[in-house]
Amino acid sequence: MLHDQDTLTFAIHGPDGRAVTQFRRLNGAAMHLVAVSRDLSNYRHLHPTMSPDGTWSVPLRLPSAGSYRAFVQFIPATLGRILTLGVDLASGGYYTPQSPAAPTRAAQVGDGDDDHDDLDISVNGWLHPGQDDDISFTFSRDGLPVTDLQPYQDGYAHLVALREGDLAVQIAQPVTTTSGPDVGFRLGTPGPGTYRLFLDFKYQGSVTTAAFTMVAQ
């Protein structure tokens, strides 16, 4: 991967050294890219575009100084299974690491100007090391269920989990097709640890991310 101030470019090469140009769609896109800071305080979920020669590119400006990890997840058409590749990135400047987020099973997202416009989101279920778990997120606003989430990524939300420390990444599979108030996923964790969960969803025309911290033990 090559990263300048504004753009990240990369190519996926097969065993013959040639750039791969045929991919199957995965959760609504041919290529998913997650860029996250090592302390998990900054997160971006993006969808690069591919040129005819197999070069992928995506606008990416790292929001603050520090060390980052970028992951791409995709399905080569000839292989038929999900692959994940990662690379380290760095942004220069004075860096103050953030403290790990405390475990939380609830989040509130909004513009901060009017509490009545905020969405409240809670997690249902638990994570168990090395297992696939069913977890869901319940959306409400002003105490009333939200049932008008908009389609996003072949579903109504997209969920990425990263483990603190080694940044082991897992992209969950959606298991529900309703627009709220509950959106469910099947999420597997590679082992014990504290995980930061990033839930992307679309509501009233805007894509928003809610973050949660859960412990698999």
Side-chain angles (χ1 to χ4, degrees):
M1 292 186 180
L2 296 176
H3 180 247
D4 61 21
Q5 192 175 24
D6 299 298
T7 305
L8 183 72
T9 60
F10 61 95
I12 307 298
H13 295 278
D16 59 2
R18 298 179 180 180
V20 179
T21 59
Q22 299 296 319
F23 297 85
R24 299 184 184 179
R25 290 177 67 83
L26 170 65
N27 292 341
M31 183 71 63
H32 294 270
L33 185 142
V34 170
V36 62
S37 58
R38 283 279 174 184
D39 60 11
L40 297 177
S41 62
N42 289 304
Y43 164 89
R44 299 285 305 280
H45 174 208
L46 305 168
H47 302 108
T49 57
M50 189 184 72
S51 64
D53 68 355
T55 299
W56 294 86
S57 62
V58 63
L60 176 62
R61 179 182 288 271
L62 300 178
S64 59
S67 178
Y68 291 76
R69 185 76 172 165
F71 300 93
V72 289
Q73 191 168 65
F74 54 92
I75 303 176
T78 57
L79 190 62
R81 62 183 178 89
I82 298 173
L83 297 181
T84 302
L85 302 176
V87 67
D88 290 322
L89 302 175
S91 179
Y94 182 76
Y95 170 59
T96 302
Q98 301 296 309
S99 299
T104 175
R105 297 174 60 85
Q108 189 175 74
V109 296
D111 58 19
D113 295 330
D114 185 349
D115 289 342
H116 294 295
D117 291 332
D118 292 341
L119 289 178
D120 295 298
I121 309 169
S122 59
V123 182
N124 313 294
W126 304 92
L127 298 182
H128 301 91
Q131 296 184 20
D132 290 339
D133 293 296
D134 289 320
I135 64 172
S136 65
F137 298 84
T138 300
F139 292 76
S140 64
R141 190 167 90 173
D142 293 336
L144 299 175
V146 170
T147 59
D148 57 346
L149 297 175
Q150 294 172 278
Y152 180 69
Q153 293 299 298
D154 281 355
Y156 286 93
H158 187 272
L159 179 63
V160 175
L162 294 124
R163 184 166 57 183
E164 288 184 358
D166 63 358
L167 296 187
V169 61
Q170 300 291 318
I171 297 182
Q173 298 300 311
V175 295
T176 58
T177 57
T178 61
S179 57
D182 298 313
V183 178
F185 296 88
R186 175 67 57 85
L187 176 62
T189 54
T194 299
Y195 289 82
R196 190 71 167 160
L197 276 59
F198 297 96
L199 180 72
D200 300 317
F201 61 93
K202 189 174 184 180
Y203 183 66
Q204 295 185 342
S206 298
V207 177
T208 306
T209 301
F212 309 81
T213 300
M214 298 181 69
V215 179
Q217 58 184 5

